[in-house]
Amino acid sequence: MAEKKYVYAFDEAYGLGKEILGGKGAGLAEMTHIGVRIPEGFTISTEVCTLFYETGKKLPDYVVTQIFEAIKGIEKKTGKTFGGDHNPLLVSVRSGARASMPGMMDTILNLGLNDTTAATLARETGNERFAMDSYRRFIMMFTNIAKGHPRDAMDKMLHDLKDSHGYKLDTEITTEQLKELVAKYKDYYKNVFGEDFPTDPKVQLLEAVSAVFRSWDNPRANVYRMMNSIPYSWGTAVNVQSMAFGNKGETSGTGVAFSRNPGTGENEISAEYLPNAQGEDVVAGIRTPLHIDELKTRMPKVYEEFVKTIKVMEKHYRDMQDMEFTVEDGVLYFLQTRNGKRTPAAALKIACDLVDEGLITEKEAVTRIDAVSFDKLLLPGFDKEALAAVKTIATGLAAGPGAGTGAIAFTAEEAERRHNAGEKVILVRAETSPEDIVGMVAAQGILTSRGGMTSHAAVVARGMGKCCITGCSSAIINEEKRTLTINGKVFTDKDIISLDGNTGNVYVGSIKTVAPDLTSGYFGRLMGWVDQYRELKVRTNADSPRDAKQAHDFGAEGIGLCRTEHMFFAKDRIFSMRKMILADTVEEREAALAEIEPMQQSDFEALFETMGEFNVTIRLLDPPLHEFLPQEPALIKELAEATGRTVDQIKDKINDLHEANPMMGHRGCRLDVTYPEIGRMQTRAIIKAAIAVSKKTGRLVTPEIMIPLTLDEREMRFVKNIVTEVADNLIAKSGLNMKYHVGTMIEIPRAALLSDEIAKEAEFFSFGTNDLTQMTFGFSRDDAGKFLPHYYSNKIFEEDPFKTLDQNGVGKLVEMSVKLGRATRPDLHLGVCGETGGDPKSIEFYHKVGLDYVSCSPFRVPVARLAAAQAAILFPRKK
Amino acid sequence: MAEKKYVYAFDEAYGLGKEILGGKGAGLAEMTHIGVRIPEGFTISTEVCTLFYETGKKLPDYVVTQIFEAIKGIEKKTGKTFGGDHNPLLVSVRSGARASMPGMMDTILNLGLNDTTAATLARETGNERFAMDSYRRFIMMFTNIAKGHPRDAMDKMLHDLKDSHGYKLDTEITTEQLKELVAKYKDYYKNVFGEDFPTDPKVQLLEAVSAVFRSWDNPRANVYRMMNSIPYSWGTAVNVQSMAFGNKGETSGTGVAFSRNPGTGENEISAEYLPNAQGEDVVAGIRTPLHIDELKTRMPKVYEEFVKTIKVMEKHYRDMQDMEFTVEDGVLYFLQTRNGKRTPAAALKIACDLVDEGLITEKEAVTRIDAVSFDKLLLPGFDKEALAAVKTIATGLAAGPGAGTGAIAFTAEEAERRHNAGEKVILVRAETSPEDIVGMVAAQGILTSRGGMTSHAAVVARGMGKCCITGCSSAIINEEKRTLTINGKVFTDKDIISLDGNTGNVYVGSIKTVAPDLTSGYFGRLMGWVDQYRELKVRTNADSPRDAKQAHDFGAEGIGLCRTEHMFFAKDRIFSMRKMILADTVEEREAALAEIEPMQQSDFEALFETMGEFNVTIRLLDPPLHEFLPQEPALIKELAEATGRTVDQIKDKINDLHEANPMMGHRGCRLDVTYPEIGRMQTRAIIKAAIAVSKKTGRLVTPEIMIPLTLDEREMRFVKNIVTEVADNLIAKSGLNMKYHVGTMIEIPRAALLSDEIAKEAEFFSFGTNDLTQMTFGFSRDDAGKFLPHYYSNKIFEEDPFKTLDQNGVGKLVEMSVKLGRATRPDLHLGVCGETGGDPKSIEFYHKVGLDYVSCSPFRVPVARLAAAQAAILFPRKK
């Protein structure tokens, strides 16, 4: 039986794909295929990475055999010999994962050198200095990377050498001095490891390959993967490639090139060149690369070939390319190419330009835009030059994108007051609560010392498109003394700070911000294509006319979630709400509700008017009632006086409403089951608003009333009956032929499991993935922050399940619910309104399982439209 | 097309079953079939009850037509006419649900009477007094029951009449006086309803039938159904039967009979007889029935037929019968029969006797015992005579069965101290916490003013088989003043109270208790059959050798859940636990754990020794760590001093560990992910204990280590690796060929959904239905008490999902998990260890889905064995 193939020469690997070859390996195979000149070599497949970890971090024998056969292949093609005493073959050993992870894993160059090959190289190239320079670099890299030993001591030897001779540049070191350094390095190696530096290139090679596989698991790589949602299970490939020497003298050099400008997207080659150097000089920052004109000046013919080859590659890949190249003795080699990373703005321009150049279709252009970073286009950012001039004083979680500058305000009330007085403020709190909302609206940005990516501050800020940094643990906030202390430095309400919500960085002082450029026309063109191809509708989660207007402008096709409770926190309203909660009788409660009703009605009228032809889904009151009661003694006293109760009575009520686990307590439609008068009041407000707007505009409003936290058919029917009784009566009296829909959130596992039954009563489902994730995982969002970091570091989780839908578990419930629900009611209208409704990966899933729409915060609407289009293009639904 | 049949004459209904006919209707059809003399009549099926509610509480026309056809059928058979002017047909209209609901719904007698038929009846029977007596009874019942009007005013008219003539008995009223009363009643009726009393018997009949259907929904019936787990959807049937008159004179009478003694099970007819009366006289308590010897004396031939017919019926039904009978002019009619309710002790004896008499098989005997009340056999109860002499002072929830008497102790510490000093105490607390366990062990019973059926006190007490009353809201406990106040009466630690855990009643003073009688041999015989037929194994939840011993004696086949955390609450241990929690470094934590390890080990050794050949499943630490920290300032100070910290540091730590929703927080195996040293310590203690006991007894112990709160395969593998690394190492060193198993709780919905993957790592699953129910419903057990009553009263729920498994929702997850898990690992060992593991209805489900065992608290073990056998007999698994 033929042995399974794990090692592929570049010229036999074309078409195997990134899954097997990794990105770099696939690129090298493809470059070989289209005739770009690259140094010979081979790829050890990603499957070996898995084998490596499965067998206790060892390379299986059959893989070792294939590696050495591939080395023989290089020897044959180049005429060089690996470890031979003439024309020695030196190789680079590099990682190459399926997704690009620049700088995250390890690379070893010049492998194959020992005293013999170094001497041979010196003799045969007539360049002893080059040989010894390569040799000392190799020993250093091998010791540091393959053996995992810190490089400090060896760096010091190099610096001491330069200092003792007064050298500034590495290139000033003489050949003899390099030889001495090599000897010192080898002594040091023996000292540290108790054995000689390995002279056998085969031993060197296997150590280096293992080191690259090991580097898949290094902390840098793990963090990068987590940040970029790259699965640990993918593994990396290893590429072994004969060295091209950029350090052979003045007709040699190395550089990097982008086929277009990665910052702006301009169609101009953006490249750097460093003569007589190897790539690591650039990476290590030892020498600063020069403009590519340097190559044009020194070797115009090489430059010409360089430009021509880049254009060939860009045309072949039909995307902007990021390449590494080396010139060895006047011969140009490309070392790798890949699709280049670019700013969101550049991505937009490049995609449009490539369509205009006929290289890609509109659909392809849509799939070329990174949906994850797309919302950065929509928000102000700091001016880059201004930013470079200031220092980061603290870093927290980048919880809400954009940038903000202002004076520190320590309470919501203060933020609002100073904002109204014309001042720009940053709201600084240990954490925020619903009572802080007015202050958050007034602030340029929000900084909290506690809380994660889904804390109150984070969720609300993202909803507002407001810059927000949470969990900034080095910020010590003393609300009493009104101070913010960071690393010992004390800030007061006189101080100005700046927040970068895209990075989580906090700065002292004011930094100039720049508005997003959506006027170039590229944004409009792309969104035109997006809307043409997507199948999912995109709605927004909005509780105020301001948010609704914003979302409408961003292209939202209705409101998928209006949280009525947010309307109650305004100062003039929360008081009525509190009276309602304190009521001892149904009559008292109804009297308090009657005060709230006209306010709710006018809110809903404004929403219906703003959304025009689009539908608005209004959710009945959801949070536990104790969230509305005050905690501060002064407020409790005020409430007591105003309601004719004693402070103790108020405190008793607060204690009485206290819950051990409020997330699983008396909330959602459970409130309507116990206090049907709340549901009746809200229904009256919704239907009366719809009637009023219908009469005013002459267009019939069709409100959608959503029942939260439903867990089965009977409960749904009970609450629905409360709604329909009120609604039918009001509509009959109005004389209008107005319709309305009653549906439910699916956010309790049991509701997903019993969706066939619930669909008998519900006309629509909206998946509340925040709660559904909490219950399915048994995670409280408020508490999971304490143990989730351990889940990431131990690789139990790779993604935050509150940010990106857990497709295995929660997704299984969603899929089940969709199937069960549609089996009962084929025209059941299905959407999602949890946090994941604005997450591109999750949107792809929602597209695949056949939802009708996603609903997200206003500033995520363009992202969601884009992600929906990408999903529709990649996974078209069967019509 | 033939109309669907909804109305069945008794002689055409045999074999249709209780689902259609209700229990009473099925019984009447069956009695007709076996030739027992009963008055002619027909049954309106239970399906009509559903139709009635669906059509807005109306009888559909096609049903009305069938009813009147059936009336014609009675007329034909009896020669009587309904509303005719000779030989008038009078009927009774009675409810009859599928399950017996004695006295819960309405009955109307003597229907068909009006001035004409009353006069005819008087004339034709020559007994005018009887006719008028029946007439006045009918008007009263019709007004009260069919029309729903209170009977007070009419009762008063009767009493005034008697008072004005100095009568003591109804029978003293003269015929003329009865006529006057009828006239007064009819005037009153017209006054109240604004129309004449209906004279048309057909109108009377339809009103009465509707009234019975309406009574299905009355509050009494709803409460009874909830208490007895009878679904609302079953509906009731209505039986219309020609009247047999027990009030025709001294050769008439009425009575009830049990074919055996329902209290003791003795094979002797137990009956009562009331001459010249209708059944309602007995029910209303107006007259006290006499011993059946009265019948024997008055009409020996009738008595002889009575005894003979009872034996015929018992033989036919092969069970003890509960019958109503009437003698009309010396002719014996049976009105109904049904299987009689009996005490658990009687049930046991009757089942065994019926086997001995050859009437039923052993399997049938097993199914005849009510598993729900079976545990009452195992616990002491109050002496019945002693109980009759005392008054109930308060009533709470019957949370733990049995009876207890003792002096009041207000703290756990006090209870323990006084118990050790030889005093019997009742622990009285607002609610209990884990720190109270020693006091609960020491007490004769526990009374709490707060908490429900699944509060800490309730769960722990049931586990101990200890009498417990929770949620006794009229008990006001002042722990500072050390007083218990009930209805204004103050009790101190000098006072003795008694608790009946079977009823929830609290009494003042000492009441004699009687030990359960398990010595009669019946218990042993039955359990022998039970163990022969059941397929589920029964294990126990036990955390102490004492519980384990108790459960072992009750027949437990191993421990299905040992909660290690309960071991930490003892005074000498909790301190080490607190040090562990306060630790700032891994080293500090390991040092504190090292103190705990030998204690844990010795606990496990005792458990292994007690359970002998049976396996013991030990769950790793589950609760959030803050549960172990003190709340009282004095204890905090003590802890601070002992650990060399400041009080503020301890408070900070407590605050730091505070969680918004601890049920969904940092607990279960999440503790092992963050602090692997805890899992390592516990594994060491378990394996070292197993090794020690194996060596000591020469029998290899096979411990089962259970990982709690797992949510997927990777997490399971991570924690399992912690366990196996320690365990394999210790076993290798021991030189024993000892095995152990690692499995997991399935108590998070996601774990159920991903069971195929988890089963790759887990050798066994144990369903933790408490948490699984919480997460699947989104209900916190601690908080649901506030809204669940509304769910019962609004008929959204019919059962407490924490007591009986919710088969639709949670059960769906369990079934899914079983299928997925077994698909991966066919020999996956499956059990359940939540509260529902001891609930008969749930056990039937667990049998059906194919679990290997259930695990329950020690005192539920015999119940579980019985329920398992019943399930196996009724639903044998395919071999």
Side-chain angles (χ1 to χ4, degrees), chain B residues 65-330:
Chain B
T65 307
Q66 293 188 21
I67 289 172
F68 290 131
E69 274 165 17
I71 285 286
K72 275 186 203 147
I74 303 184
E75 288 176 330
K76 211 177 225 173
K77 285 173 196 151
T78 58
K80 297 184 177 182
T81 47
F82 196 51
D85 53 5
H86 66 95
N87 201 7
L89 172 64
L90 304 190
V91 296
S92 66
V93 178
R94 296 171 201 253
S95 66
R98 201 195 299 193
S100 169
M101 294 172 62
M104 287 304 133
M105 285 182 302
D106 294 334
T107 294
I108 294 176
L109 303 175
N110 301 325
L111 188 140
L113 282 174
N114 53 29
D115 291 353
T116 313
T117 52
T120 307
L121 191 68
R123 192 177 65 240
E124 291 182 351
T125 60
N127 188 341
E128 190 178 18
R129 193 189 178 287
F130 150 68
M132 295 320 293
D133 188 47
S134 300
Y135 197 12
R136 66 101 184 163
R137 287 170 193 269
F138 171 60
I139 299 173
M140 159 85 94
M141 275 196 256
F142 188 87
T143 308
N144 175 226
I145 290 166
K147 305 293 289 184
H149 187 75
R151 51 183 288 162
D152 319 28
M154 299 172 91
D155 275 338
K156 192 167 179 297
M157 288 181 222
L158 177 63
H159 290 137
D160 287 351
L161 174 68
K162 283 161 71 181
D163 288 351
S164 66
H165 294 89
Y167 298 155
K168 288 208 158 170
L169 300 174
D170 289 2
T171 44
E172 294 174 71
I173 307 173
T174 66
T175 306
E176 282 313 307
Q177 285 161 351
L178 284 172
K179 275 188 185 168
E180 282 166 32
L181 194 60
V182 162
K184 272 190 191 168
Y185 277 5
K186 288 199 290 190
D187 285 348
Y188 177 75
Y189 185 97
K190 189 167 183 180
N191 234 337
V192 170
F193 297 104
E195 59 185 25
D196 285 325
F197 185 81
T199 54
D200 183 351
K202 288 186 172 180
V203 173
Q204 295 172 355
L205 180 61
L206 296 183
E207 283 273 11
V209 169
S210 297
V212 173
F213 283 135
R214 275 199 302 271
S215 73
W216 177 248
D217 195 33
N218 77 29
R220 267 185 311 168
N222 284 329
V223 169
Y224 186 90
R225 268 196 301 276
M226 206 165 73
M227 301 287 292
N228 292 277
S229 304
I230 300 170
Y232 179 76
S233 62
W234 279 4
T236 183
V238 177
N239 298 291
V240 177
Q241 191 170 22
S242 81
M243 288 296 300
F245 294 104
N247 57 344
K248 260 190 172 172
E250 292 307 309
T251 55
S252 300
T254 189
V256 293
F258 288 91
S259 63
R260 300 185 187 220
N261 186 312
T264 64
E266 282 303 318
N267 188 358
E268 58 188 13
I269 289 172
S270 171
E272 291 175 329
Y273 180 69
L274 190 60
N276 197 15
Q278 285 198 326
E280 63 138 355
D281 296 314
V282 183
V283 174
I286 296 166
R287 292 169 60 193
T288 307
L290 310 173
H291 191 270
I292 192 65
D293 285 349
E294 186 71 21
L295 176 62
K296 194 174 180 181
T297 313
R298 286 175 181 237
M299 292 177 279
K301 289 238 154 152
V302 172
Y303 179 76
E304 202 176 301
E305 185 192 346
F306 168 79
V307 171
K308 208 178 107 198
T309 311
I310 285 176
K311 286 293 158 197
V312 165
M313 284 196 280
E314 191 183 81
K315 201 161 176 185
H316 173 74
Y317 287 106
R318 303 182 308 125
D319 199 359
M320 189 264 272
Q321 294 300 296
D322 169 6
M323 295 149 291
E324 291 179 19
F325 65 95
T326 284
V327 182
E328 179 178 338
D329 277 341

Side-chain angles (χ1 to χ4, degrees), chain A residues 428-608:
Chain A
V428 175
R429 305 277 294 161
E431 55 198 332
T432 64
S433 71
E435 297 184 358
D436 292 328
I437 287 192
V438 284
M440 295 173 75
V441 171
Q444 302 298 309
I446 298 115
L447 172 67
T448 74
S449 55
R450 290 207 282 269
M453 290 297 286
T454 50
S455 62
H456 176 265
V459 171
V460 173
R462 279 199 296 278
M464 294 176 178
K466 182 139 307 194
C467 157
C468 177
I469 296 174
T470 59
C472 183
S473 51
S474 61
I476 299 159
I477 296 159
N478 189 323
E479 288 176 11
E480 230 170 282
K481 295 194 187 150
R482 301 174 47 76
T483 58
L484 162 67
T485 309
I486 297 177
N487 294 329
K489 187 162 162 38
V490 179
F491 300 87
T492 70
D493 58 11
K494 303 276 181 296
D495 291 302
I496 288 177
I497 58 173
S498 296
L499 310 180
D500 187 338
N502 297 325
T503 61
N505 289 340
V506 183
Y507 304 93
V508 184
S510 173
I511 306 173
K512 190 179 152 199
T513 57
V514 287
D517 177 19
L518 302 180
T519 55
S520 65
Y522 295 115
F523 182 77
R525 276 186 83 189
L526 182 85
M527 294 315 281
W529 300 332
V530 156
D531 289 342
Q532 187 179 333
Y533 297 116
R534 74 188 158 91
E535 298 176 69
L536 278 172
K537 297 273 178 199
V538 175
R539 293 187 173 198
T540 189
N541 301 346
D543 315 331
S544 69
R546 188 179 38 85
D547 285 355
K549 170 77 171 59
Q550 178 72 76
H552 190 267
D553 292 348
F554 277 142
E557 299 157 297
I559 292 180
L561 173 65
C562 166
R563 283 166 289 231
T564 51
E565 55 270 21
H566 285 184
M567 299 172 168
F568 292 128
F569 283 106
K571 223 174 179 177
D572 52 332
R573 299 176 174 201
I574 193 148
F575 192 69
S576 300
M577 191 67 186
R578 287 173 179 163
K579 277 204 287 187
M580 193 278 283
I581 295 166
L582 291 173
D584 290 321
T585 64
V586 173
E587 292 69 31
E588 247 189 286
R589 194 155 40 243
E590 280 180 339
L593 287 167
E595 289 177 21
I596 299 171
E597 188 179 318
M599 307 176 193
Q600 284 251 298
Q601 184 181 333
S602 76
D603 287 328
F604 297 142
E605 285 179 17
L607 284 180
F608 292 142

Side-chain angles (χ1 to χ4, degrees), chain A residues 381-435:
Chain A
F382 285 127
D383 180 76
K384 274 188 192 144
E385 284 176 26
L387 197 61
V390 292
K391 276 212 166 173
T392 304
I393 54 162
T395 300
L397 299 169
T405 281
I408 296 172
F410 288 99
T411 67
E413 181 277 330
E414 177 192 353
E416 194 190 13
R417 182 171 40 75
R418 290 169 67 185
H419 168 78
N420 290 344
E423 197 177 359
K424 286 190 173 179
V425 293
I426 299 286
L427 179 62
V428 175
R429 305 277 294 161
E431 55 198 332
T432 64
S433 71
E435 297 184 358

